[in-house]
Amino acid sequence: MSGWEWLRDLLERLARAFRDWQERCIPAYDPTPWNDSNGVQFNNNCYNYACDIRTNTFAQPGQASGNMYSSIDCVEVGDGAVSDGLAPVGCDAGCGCSDCHHQVALVIWPNADFHWYRKDRDGRWSHKPGGTQATNLDNSGNLITDPRTADRGPYTVFCGCYCVNKSAVTIN
Amino acid sequence: MDRKKKERTSPQVTLLIFSGRPDPELMLTADETERLVGHLKTALQGDEVNPPPERGLGYRGFLLRDLPLDELKRQPTRVFRRTVTLELGDRRSWGDAGLEEWLLEKAKDSGYGELLEPS
């Protein structure tokens, strides 16, 4: 094999390895399995969807690890998620590819509720508002390229981003 | 007759408003259940309309389940944007005959008025 052929072969293998890693670790935007208008849709919420883990329990941050949030704010809900195995990360830095994980983001409706977004394989974000359908659109009907700037309705507080390694996260 | 009323199963009425926390459930009395069924019967007799567009975060209507109506018995039914939509299979919609407005009043009377204020 010539030097160029060796290099081309190496680049192809690296590209293939990266694609395999992406397919294994970063969820694709495919809302259909979540949107059955029945048990899956009604019993899995934003946290389930963001983590890409169906429990049919309307999972609550910290509940699986005995550290459920005691108030609706960034610290309490975020700590609950960390207790479940999510890892805080800078939103711009992202989760990188040193581990098998994808990026999610937490927002708060002050004193009322929390919500999670998920960054998908195509680089855009999607979410599942409670028991209603998963979508990649915000409240203005626009594709979500950044949850910090998306129309989030009453979820006016942006808390931050986290990494989800599904094999290291337990939610319930 | 009283016993028949007590044995009637109350439908599940969910206020679709949260994303993370479980949505509130509204408890209906027997009379309110009859009123709900009346609204639905009137609605289903009307012309079909297009299903409403989804909204996203915040108030998203009401989800009705376990309805004491043969045609809706196993059919989750959504009331939103003044329409009634059958959620399973072909999503068919009708005008709601005032049902959403009545359910919103019920939700406010049940203590959820603040959540329903426009943000």
Side-chain angles (χ1 to χ4, degrees):
Chain A
M1 193 186 281
S2 73
W4 287 116
E5 284 169 348
W6 176 88
L7 184 60
R8 189 181 63 195
D9 181 60
L10 175 64
L11 289 172
E12 279 174 2
R13 284 201 273 160
L14 283 172
R16 202 177 314 129
F18 180 71
R19 274 197 308 271
D20 289 344
W21 174 84
Q22 267 200 321
E23 278 172 26
R24 208 166 28 92
C25 300
I26 313 290
Y29 175 59
D30 177 21
T32 305
W34 295 89
N35 297 348
D36 67 347
S37 297
N38 214 333
V40 174
Q41 180 182 314
F42 299 151
N43 296 314
N44 291 280
N45 63 359
C46 57
Y47 191 44
N48 286 105
Y49 180 79
C51 294
D52 197 27
I53 299 172
R54 279 192 277 277
T55 61
N56 299 325
T57 61
F58 228 75
Q60 301 296 300
Q63 183 154 259
S65 46
N67 191 29
M68 191 163 145
Y69 60 89
S70 56
S71 58
I72 304 290
D73 57 59
C74 292
V75 172
E76 278 287 317
V77 179
D79 282 355
V82 168
S83 179
D84 287 344
L86 279 71
V89 72
C91 292
D92 293 320
C95 298
C97 50
S98 61
D99 207 345
C100 191
H101 44 206
H102 65 273
Q103 191 170 342
V104 299
L106 171 64
V107 298
I108 294 286
W109 174 356
N111 302 311
D113 193 31
F114 60 89
H115 180 60
W116 292 87
Y117 292 86
R118 181 181 93 188
K119 192 171 184 180
D120 296 319
R121 202 178 295 166
D122 62 6
R124 295 195 193 111
W125 296 72
S126 60
H127 60 155
K128 187 178 182 302
T132 44
Q133 298 200 331
T135 177
N136 58 0
L137 302 178
D138 70 6
N139 272 32
S140 292
N142 298 318
L143 288 168
I144 304 168
T145 54
D146 188 335
R148 290 173 289 190
T149 54
D151 182 353
R152 304 191 300 265
Y155 295 78
T156 53
V157 176
F158 184 87
C159 299
C161 292
Y162 297 79
C163 298
V164 173
N165 179 341
K166 284 169 62 173
S167 63
V169 161
T170 303
I171 66 172
N172 192 36
Chain B
M1 257 189 284
D2 282 336
R3 192 158 48 152
K4 202 171 180 181
K5 274 196 174 178
K6 283 179 191 170
E7 286 172 349
R8 179 184 293 141
T9 305
S10 184
Q12 193 176 357
V13 180
T14 307
L15 170 60
L16 299 172
I17 193 155
F18 292 146
S19 176
R21 293 173 60 197
D23 285 312
E25 304 279 343
L26 303 185
M27 303 306 297
L28 300 187
T29 63
D31 288 341
E32 287 170 333
T33 299
E34 274 192 44
R35 199 163 162 193
L36 173 75
V37 168
H39 273 293
L40 283 168
K41 281 181 174 172
T42 303
L44 295 178
Q45 283 166 5
D47 293 329
E48 287 195 42
V49 299
N50 290 324
E54 267 300 347
R55 185 184 181 270
L57 296 169
Y59 171 70
R60 304 183 297 286
F62 297 86
L63 184 67
L64 313 178
R65 287 173 281 184
D66 299 322
L67 289 163
L69 261 177
D70 285 338
E71 55 267 52
L72 298 181
K73 213 158 180 67
R74 275 179 243 292
Q75 174 67 265
T77 302
R78 178 104 169 261
V79 181
F80 184 45
R81 296 193 197 258
R82 289 189 269 183
T83 58
V84 169
T85 301
L86 306 187
E87 290 283 292
L88 275 179
D90 301 329
R91 292 184 75 232
R92 298 169 65 193
S93 297
W94 293 262
D96 76 335
L99 179 53
E100 185 177 20
E101 195 177 326
W102 181 73
L103 286 169
L104 281 168
E105 283 309 308
K106 174 71 184 170
K108 287 172 187 170
D109 290 344
S110 303
Y112 301 112
E114 213 173 292
L115 293 173
L116 293 166
E117 291 297 313
S119 55

